[in-house]
């Protein structure tokens, strides 16, 4: 690390260039930092953790980091009880995260084991036109069985993605995507202690089917964080006082307002670049638009289990019917019994809302094959009644740095949890709004 | 040869004739022969055929009928009721009596004719002439055997016709029974369908009361319920008419005072077309009648040929007493001279009738073979159609309903879509009941075509009740309303 005294001294010797040269010299031939912050690998950066995913290893060949992606058909589980034939990279959706460092020369081999041509676009990367990956525009498509090479130097750092650009509608709909993280070659001024990445996506996996439908534009069934739905989404873990970054990319068909409970965060970057600190925004909900990436950072100030989810209510649900008659408020008593004479399995439901659904499912109510219930997941106090784009941030006082093991549910200290004070619905004299035709004073 | 001798001989001959002319007629008018003819072809029907000549008390017959009607009527018991109660049985028995009389007329020679004449003279002192004669148609005596054979044919035909009429009555009862059972089943399916539509409309009313569906949507549900109710009324009326038709076929007076058993499922009757054609050739009563009629006409032609030359021959004796007391007596003979050809017409008529009968039998042969093959083809197709319903369409419809219920469980589809799927299931059931009705009618037609027993107890029954009977039957299984399922909480996080 270049110290301030050395900078002042070096300026005197020859200017900033000597400072830069000395900094690079300190890194060594392999680009390794000589002084590593806690958690950083010998590669000089803190590797990201891809929730429910993994990072692609590389081989060094003549100074070039060589990665190998394989586009192929895969079997993927969204959550226990729901799986599908999807398309992905190297056996998973999303595909493995590619991590490199600004200034690296990378070579990415892409083998196509799909049944149709493909290509890969490096979303947000500054690359030569011929490497941009739009089939037909920048290159011929990668034919079935072929392996092509993309090679370019990384001239930036930040949070990016990769995805097909041949039959993009279909190949994206089937799950072909991945994160491309470029770490800065110089340490970040505000270092993080944990660095997560997740990609947002949506799937039209119609009830009872085993293959997504790429023709659907709006009525999706599954909303995912890294191709998983709650309760199969991996929680984010951190120690109280640590700084956490969440890199979120959106390759779905909807914008998603990502909300984190009780931990306001800074929006610190996009797929265009990391923003100067003066441009950081303080938010609790950040809309990640289609095709965008956002970096969110914060320091956890107190322990607990905090929900993190898309704030579009339907996106935190499992598959649900649309265009159904609204059952809320409908008294079906008596008639349900008449109907059961001919439909023994019929259940009247939804008169007072849909909360009962998770109880019904827990009691054994079956749905179509390979179909998740609309809301599910149990917490320490009962059904969480969520699905889709929902996960939990678990902050613990005693979580060791680099420890990603699930610590279980948070144990609330006494006096710091909501408590019931009455079971009488008429308790108290709460003030209510007056009639709508009142005069405003 | 003296006149006295002749008189004695004539007397002896007449006495012999008198004795031999007194034949023993069967007390049952040949009913047993009819039953035997029926038994060879339709033993199930024949075994329940009672003897109308038997002096069975009227009450006993009524009791037997009431006993049969006390239990839900099957096709088999319906036929038995008809065999006991239908006036057609007594009608046929009466016909046999007429046939028997006709046989007597045809088979027995004419009685000798005694004549007496008295002629008074108007001459003074004149006496009177008295003539006595005794004549007998000799032609009839000479050809009595041939005539008797012809008469035998006629009464045999009459007895076969009685058996045929009874067989037709039984098949008619079976036909109406299957129609009625299917109509009752159809009404049951429509009742379930109407009940489902009513429940759907009632549910829609609740949704409307909650402000969750529009008046238009509510009206559409009510429309479907009303239409289903009208269809139910139609089905019930059709069932009532079909039951009355069966009642009538059994020979009972209205109103209907019995219940009907369920329509049986598809059955298997193992017989090839060739076997059925051979059976038809040997079994069909109308074919047997046609054959007998040809035999009869052949004998008639032969007799007519002979009688053409001896159209009329009468012999006898005559005795005359003259006014002076002189008695004259001697044989007489009368013979028609075939000079002007009038005796040709019976022969021509018989020959033509024979030709006609032969042609009609050929036509009947062809009709029967076509009827058998048609009925067999129809029955085979109907059986295949039933199999398609049972093995393919109904199970798939049930699968659809089960999957729809799973979707409704997870609120992926609404209750009305589920009820609509149930209505579709009932519609499939109705089609199946109609297919089953056609199946059984084809098999009745096959029994008629072959001239054998009407199928009431088939060789192999495929199931004891129709699949749709289970679908239409309301479920009485206890059910726990999911709305009252208690919440299950893990309270481990509480302090």
């Amino acid at each position: 690390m270049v110290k301030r005294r050395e900078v002042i001294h070096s300026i005197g010797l020859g200017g900033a260039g000597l400072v830069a040269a000395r900094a690079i010299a300190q890194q060594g031939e392999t680009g390794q930092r000589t002084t590593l912050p806690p958690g950083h690998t010998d590669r000089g950066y803190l590797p990201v953790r891809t929730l429910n995913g993994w990072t692609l290893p590389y081989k060094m060949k003549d100074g070039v980091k060589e990665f190998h992606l394989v586009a192929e058909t895969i079997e993927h589980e969204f959550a226990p009880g729901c799986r599908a034939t999807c398309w992905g990279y190297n056996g998973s959706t999303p595909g493995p995260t590619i991590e490199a460092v600004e200034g690296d020369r990378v070579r990415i081999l892409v083998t196509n084991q799909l049944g149709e041509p493909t290509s890969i676009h490096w979303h947000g990367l500054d690359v030569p036109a011929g490497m941009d990956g739009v089939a037909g525009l920048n290159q011929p498509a990668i034919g079935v069985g072929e392996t092509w090479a993309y090679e370019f130097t990384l001239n930036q750092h930040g949070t990016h993605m990769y995805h097909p650009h041949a039959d993009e509608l279909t190949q994206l709909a089937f799950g072909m995507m991945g994160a491309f993280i470029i770490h800065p070659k110089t340490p970040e001024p505000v270092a993080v202690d944990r660095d997560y990445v997740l990609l947002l996506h949506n799937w039209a996996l119609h009830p009872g089917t085993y293959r997504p439908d790429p023709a659907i534009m709006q009525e999706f069934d599954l909303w995912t964080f890294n191709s998983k739905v709650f309760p199969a989404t991996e929680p984010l873990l951190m120690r109280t006082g640590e700084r956490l970054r969440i890199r979120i990319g959106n390759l779905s068909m909807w914008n998603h307002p990502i909300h984190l409970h009780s931990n306001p965060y800074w929006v610190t970057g996009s797929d265009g670049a990391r923003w100067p600190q003066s441009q950081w925004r303080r938010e609790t909900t950040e809309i990640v638009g289609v095709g965008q990436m956002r970096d969110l950072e914060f320091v956890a100030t107190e322990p607990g289990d905090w929900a993190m989810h898309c704030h579009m209510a339907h996106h935190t649900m499992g598959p649900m019917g649309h265009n159904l008659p609204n059952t809320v408020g409908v008294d079906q008593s008596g008639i349900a019994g008449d109907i059961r004479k001919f439909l023994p399995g019929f259940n009247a439901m939804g008169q007072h809302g849909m909360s009962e659904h998770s109880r019904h499912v827990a009691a054994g109510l079956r749905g179509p094959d390979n179909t998740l219930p609309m809301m599910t997941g149990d917490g320490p106090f009962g059904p969480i009644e969520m699905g889709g784009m929902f996960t939990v941030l678990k902050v613990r006082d005693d979580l060791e740095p680099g420890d990603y093991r699930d610590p279980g549910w948070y144990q609330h200290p006494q006096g710091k949890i909501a408590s019931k004070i009455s079971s009488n619905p008429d308790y108290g004299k709460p003030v209510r709004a007056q009639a709508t035709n009142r005069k405003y004073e | 040869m003296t006149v006295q001798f002749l008189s004695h001989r004539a007397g002896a001959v007449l006495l012999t004739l008198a004795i031999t002319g007194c034949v023993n007629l069967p007390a049952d008018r040949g009913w047993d022969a009819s039953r035997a003819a029926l038994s060879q072809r339709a033993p199930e029907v024949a075994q329940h055929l009672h003897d109308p000549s038997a002096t069975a008390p009227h009450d006993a017959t009524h009791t037997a009928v009431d006993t049969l009607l006390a239990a839900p009527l099957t096709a088999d018991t319906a036929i038995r009721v008809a065999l006991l109660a239908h006036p057609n049985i007594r009608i046929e028995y009466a016909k046999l009596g007429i046939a028997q009389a006709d046989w007597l007329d045809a088979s027995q020679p004419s009685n000798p004719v005694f004549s007496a004449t008295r002629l008074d003279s108007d001459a003074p002192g004149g006496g009177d002439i008295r003539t006595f004669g005794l004549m007998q148609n000799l032609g009839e005596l000479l050809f009595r055997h041939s005539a008797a054979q012809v008469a035998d044919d006629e009464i045999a035909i009459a007895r076969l016709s009685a058996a045929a009429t009874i067989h037709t009555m039984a098949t008619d009862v079976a036909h109406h029974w299957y129609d009625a059972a299917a109509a009752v089943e159809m009404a049951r399916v429509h009742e379930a369908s109407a009940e489902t539509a009513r429940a759907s409309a009632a549910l829609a009313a609740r949704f409307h009361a909650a402000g969750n569906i529009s008046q238009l949507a509510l009206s559409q549900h009510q429309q479907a319920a009303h239409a289903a109710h009208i269809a139910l009324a139609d089905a019930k009326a059709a069932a009532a008419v079909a039951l009355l038709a069966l009642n009538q076929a059994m020979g009972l007076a209205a109103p209907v005072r019995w219940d009907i058993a369920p329509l049986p499922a598809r059955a298997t009757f193992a017989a090839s077309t060739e076997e059925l054609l051979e059976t038809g050739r040997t079994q069909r009563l109308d074919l047997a009648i046609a054959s007998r009629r040809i035999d009869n006409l052949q004998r008639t032609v032969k007799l007519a040929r002979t009688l053409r030359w001896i159209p009329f021959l009468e012999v006898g004796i005559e005795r005359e007493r003259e006014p002076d007391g002189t008695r004259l007596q001697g044989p007489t003979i009368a013979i028609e001279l075939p000079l002007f050809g009038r005796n040709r017409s019976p022969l021509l008529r018989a020959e033509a009738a024979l030709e006609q009968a032969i042609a009609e039998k050929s036509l009947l042969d062809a009709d029967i073979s076509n009827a058998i093959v048609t009925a067999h083809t129809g029955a085979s197709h109907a059986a295949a159609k039933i199999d398609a319903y049972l093995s393919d369409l109904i199970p798939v419809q049930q699968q659809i309903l089960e999957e729809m219920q799973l979707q409704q469980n997870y609120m992926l589809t609404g209750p009305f879509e589920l009820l609509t799927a149930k209505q579709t299931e009932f519609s499939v059931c109705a089609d199946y009941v109609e297919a089953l009705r056609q199946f059984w009618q084809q098999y009745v037609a096959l029994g008629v075509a072959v001239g054998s027993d009407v199928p009431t107890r088939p060789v192999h029954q495929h199931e004891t009740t129709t699949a749709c009977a289970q679908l239409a039957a309301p479920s009485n299984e206890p059910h726990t309303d999911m709305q009252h399922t208690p919440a299950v909480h893990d309270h481990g996080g509480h302090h």
Side-chain angles (χ1 to χ4, degrees):
Chain A
M1 182 172 178
V2 179
K3 296 181 181 158
R4 182 169 175 274
R5 260 197 319 164
E6 288 175 326
V7 169
I8 295 170
H9 178 70
S10 296
I11 287 174
L13 292 176
L18 287 173
V19 173
R22 189 167 173 187
I24 291 170
Q26 284 182 337
Q27 290 177 13
E29 291 182 0
T30 59
Q32 290 182 342
R33 300 176 188 276
T34 54
T35 306
L36 299 175
H40 286 58
T41 68
D42 56 359
R43 291 178 179 174
Y45 56 80
L46 175 68
V48 299
R49 185 170 178 87
T50 306
L51 293 171
N52 296 104
W54 57 298
T55 297
L56 186 65
Y58 61 85
K59 297 176 185 174
M60 286 302 300
K61 289 189 176 178
D62 300 324
V64 177
K65 286 182 179 174
E66 184 175 277
F67 300 87
H68 193 165
L69 292 173
V70 180
E72 58 188 355
T73 302
I74 61 169
E75 287 296 307
H76 174 70
E77 182 183 84
F78 293 97
C82 179
R83 58 178 178 80
T85 300
C86 301
W87 295 354
Y89 295 101
N90 301 55
S92 67
T93 174
T97 298
I98 295 176
E99 282 191 272
V101 181
E102 181 180 7
D104 285 347
R105 180 100 181 146
V106 296
R107 181 183 306 121
I108 305 164
L109 307 181
V110 178
T111 299
N112 180 9
Q113 290 189 356
L114 299 174
E116 66 169 6
T118 189
S119 70
I120 296 189
H121 167 60
W122 315 101
H123 188 105
L125 266 64
D126 179 18
V127 297
M131 299 292 175
D132 198 42
V134 178
L137 178 62
N138 305 122
Q139 62 165 102
I142 303 171
V144 175
E146 295 177 354
T147 300
W148 286 49
Y150 295 86
E151 187 167 330
F152 42 84
T153 301
L154 301 176
N155 299 317
Q156 69 208 96
H157 61 269
T159 305
H160 310 281
M161 303 181 283
Y162 64 89
H163 61 81
H165 227 293
D167 192 13
E168 187 180 344
L169 177 148
T170 303
Q171 296 185 12
L172 269 176
F174 274 95
M176 296 180 73
M177 56 186 175
F180 198 136
I181 308 300
I182 306 172
H183 297 278
K185 56 187 172 185
T186 56
E188 296 177 280
V190 182
V192 297
D193 300 298
R194 296 183 192 241
D195 201 345
Y196 289 99
V197 62
L198 61 90
L199 296 178
L200 312 177
H201 201 28
N202 49 222
W203 310 75
L205 188 67
H206 304 311
T209 67
Y210 293 81
R211 193 185 302 270
D213 179 0
I216 299 300
M217 197 169 77
Q218 293 182 324
E219 301 283 352
F220 294 99
D221 303 284
L222 299 174
W223 304 90
T224 57
F225 284 165
N226 283 347
S227 303
K228 292 287 186 182
V229 298
F230 180 77
T233 50
E234 187 180 328
L236 291 84
L237 305 177
M238 65 188 298
R239 183 189 175 95
T240 313
E242 283 184 337
R243 186 177 185 86
L244 181 143
R245 175 163 56 214
I246 311 171
R247 306 171 188 254
I248 305 176
N250 183 6
L251 282 171
S252 76
M253 294 277 286
W254 285 78
N255 303 329
H256 298 287
I258 301 299
H259 175 60
L260 177 60
H261 288 214
S262 195
N263 289 278
Y265 49 76
W266 297 97
V267 185
T268 62
S270 70
D271 47 319
R274 285 197 52 78
W275 300 342
Q277 201 162 349
S278 60
Q279 291 181 6
W280 291 5
R281 287 184 287 107
R282 190 82 164 148
E283 300 283 2
T284 63
T285 305
E286 173 71 3
I287 295 176
V288 184
V290 177
Q292 290 184 338
M293 299 210 74
R294 289 291 183 268
D295 295 344
L296 317 179
E297 295 177 26
F298 63 96
V299 174
T301 57
E302 64 177 298
D305 289 341
W306 314 102
M308 188 179 93
H309 58 89
C310 173
H311 219 291
M312 289 205 173
H314 281 212
H315 296 179
T316 52
M317 292 286 113
M320 58 185 288
H322 305 283
N323 303 316
L324 303 182
N326 179 12
T327 59
V328 178
V330 180
D331 177 9
Q332 299 182 48
S333 58
I335 295 181
D338 288 345
I339 294 174
R340 273 198 290 274
K341 291 177 187 172
F342 301 103
L343 289 167
F346 179 79
N347 284 291
M349 54 182 77
Q351 180 181 1
H352 301 292
M354 300 181 192
S355 176
E356 62 189 8
H357 179 61
S358 56
R359 290 202 306 278
H360 295 169
V361 172
L365 193 66
R366 282 181 52 232
D369 286 346
N370 204 44
T371 303
L372 297 171
M374 185 172 63
M375 55 176 75
T376 182
D378 283 327
F381 302 103
I384 297 179
E385 300 175 350
M386 284 278 135
M389 290 177 166
F390 183 96
T391 190
V392 179
L393 168 70
K394 297 189 177 185
V395 181
R396 299 291 184 269
D397 291 336
D398 56 355
L399 194 66
E400 293 299 321
D403 183 0
Y404 291 93
R405 293 172 297 173
D406 191 334
W409 297 116
Y410 181 64
Q411 300 297 316
H412 297 267
Q414 202 156 8
K416 285 201 171 181
I417 182 170
S419 59
K420 179 170 68 175
I421 60 170
S422 172
S423 296
N424 178 5
D426 295 323
Y427 172 83
K429 293 191 170 99
V431 178
R432 289 182 168 83
Q434 300 300 309
T436 55
N437 59 353
R438 70 183 173 92
K439 289 183 180 176
Y440 286 88
E441 296 176 1
Chain B
M1 188 179 294
T2 64
V3 172
Q4 288 173 325
F5 173 79
L6 285 172
S7 296
H8 290 149
R9 286 290 180 266
V13 168
L14 288 174
L15 183 61
T16 303
L17 285 173
I19 291 170
T20 56
C22 294
V23 294
N24 289 324
L25 295 172
D28 66 350
R29 303 178 184 176
W31 185 257
D32 214 46
S34 296
R35 190 210 306 271
L38 192 61
S39 181
Q40 289 170 6
R41 293 151 173 91
E44 296 285 338
V45 174
Q47 73 172 348
H48 296 298
L49 186 61
H50 76 285
D51 185 353
S53 68
T55 53
H58 180 72
D59 286 345
T61 303
H62 259 272
T63 302
V65 169
D66 287 345
T67 302
L68 289 170
L69 295 180
L73 216 58
T74 64
D76 185 54
T77 55
I79 291 172
R80 290 173 61 184
V81 167
L83 292 174
L84 282 169
H86 206 300
N88 267 352
I89 302 297
R90 298 196 299 278
I91 291 171
E92 291 307 308
Y93 185 65
K95 282 183 181 175
L96 285 182
I98 295 170
Q100 196 159 259
D102 289 341
W103 177 85
L104 269 178
D105 282 345
S107 65
Q108 301 303 307
S110 304
N111 290 319
V113 176
F114 172 77
S115 64
T117 309
R118 175 178 167 163
L119 300 173
D120 289 324
S121 170
D122 62 357
D128 55 20
I129 299 174
R130 297 178 186 176
T131 307
F132 301 97
L134 186 65
M135 300 295 290
Q136 174 65 47
N137 189 320
L138 186 60
E140 286 183 2
L141 285 178
L142 291 174
F143 300 106
R144 177 170 173 257
H145 177 70
S146 299
Q149 281 184 320
V150 171
D152 285 346
D153 287 335
E154 292 292 340
I155 201 166
I157 288 170
R159 288 166 183 167
L160 287 174
S161 296
T165 301
I166 294 166
H167 185 243
T168 299
M169 183 189 73
T171 59
D172 198 45
V173 169
H175 174 90
H176 283 290
W177 188 90
Y178 287 114
D179 261 356
V184 168
E185 184 88 1
M186 188 69 79
R188 196 175 298 133
V189 174
H190 275 279
E191 181 138 28
S193 180
E195 182 57 30
T196 303
R198 186 208 65 77
S200 183
L203 185 63
R206 299 286 183 95
F207 273 76
H208 183 257
N212 291 10
I213 64 171
S214 64
Q215 179 61 50
L216 171 62
L218 173 62
S219 298
Q220 287 168 334
H221 286 286
Q222 289 170 334
Q223 178 193 48
H226 293 323
H229 180 75
I230 290 170
L232 171 61
D234 281 345
K236 282 184 171 177
V241 167
L243 290 169
L244 280 167
L246 174 59
N247 201 52
Q248 183 176 2
M250 291 190 292
L252 301 176
V256 171
R257 52 187 179 95
W258 40 267
D259 293 322
I260 194 164
L263 185 68
R266 160 188 165 12
T268 303
F269 298 87
S272 67
T273 304
E274 290 70 30
E275 287 169 338
L276 292 169
L277 285 169
E278 182 55 35
T279 303
R281 277 191 280 273
T282 56
Q283 298 280 73
R284 281 286 289 254
L285 279 164
D286 51 357
L287 202 58
I289 290 169
S291 295
R292 194 68 190 251
R293 195 173 301 286
I294 288 172
D295 292 341
N296 173 262
L297 285 168
Q298 284 170 337
R299 280 191 266 273
T300 302
V301 165
K302 192 176 172 184
L303 188 60
R305 283 195 181 123
T306 306
L307 290 177
R308 179 183 178 189
W309 304 110
I310 314 173
F312 179 81
L313 174 65
E314 202 174 52
V315 296
I317 59 171
E318 191 171 298
R319 184 184 173 100
E320 185 174 292
R321 196 193 75 173
E322 299 296 324
D324 62 358
T326 306
R327 285 184 170 80
L328 304 170
Q329 67 180 36
T332 66
I333 185 168
I335 184 168
E336 184 181 348
L337 298 176
L339 292 178
F340 299 116
R342 285 180 61 83
N343 297 326
R344 288 182 62 201
S345 60
L347 175 60
L348 291 174
R349 189 173 294 111
E351 284 175 342
L354 177 60
E355 284 174 26
Q356 181 181 353
I358 291 171
E360 284 175 348
K361 183 174 178 295
S362 295
L363 181 62
L364 189 59
D365 274 332
D367 285 350
I368 287 172
S369 66
N370 280 296
I372 288 173
V373 175
T374 299
H376 189 237
T377 303
S380 299
H381 167 70
K385 190 173 175 182
I386 293 290
D387 284 347
Y389 270 99
L390 288 177
S391 61
D392 299 330
L393 189 53
I394 290 177
V396 161
Q397 193 58 45
Q398 288 176 308
Q399 181 72 34
I400 288 172
L401 199 58
E402 286 168 11
E403 289 296 326
M404 288 286 288
Q405 180 63 72
L406 294 177
Q407 296 229 348
Q408 194 256 342
N409 285 351
Y410 271 30
M411 303 185 85
L412 297 164
T413 192
F416 298 112
E417 287 78 5
L418 184 60
L419 288 164
T420 299
K422 187 65 184 180
Q423 293 285 55
T424 303
E425 193 176 61
F426 286 134
S427 178
V428 170
C429 274
D431 292 344
Y432 169 72
V433 170
E434 174 57 24
L436 198 55
R437 185 194 70 81
Q438 289 176 5
F439 168 85
W440 282 111
Q441 295 301 8
Q442 289 293 334
Y443 266 100
V444 169
L446 187 59
V448 170
V450 171
S452 68
D453 255 324
V454 176
T456 59
R457 282 197 294 276
V459 175
H460 300 291
Q461 190 86 23
H462 283 249
E463 55 187 81
T464 58
T465 184
T466 64
C468 288
Q470 295 167 340
L471 291 172
S475 169
N476 293 318
E477 291 181 10
H479 179 90
T480 301
D481 193 334
M482 296 299 290
Q483 284 184 309
H484 301 294
T485 304
V488 177
H489 295 299
D490 174 12
H491 295 270
H494 288 308
H495 291 277

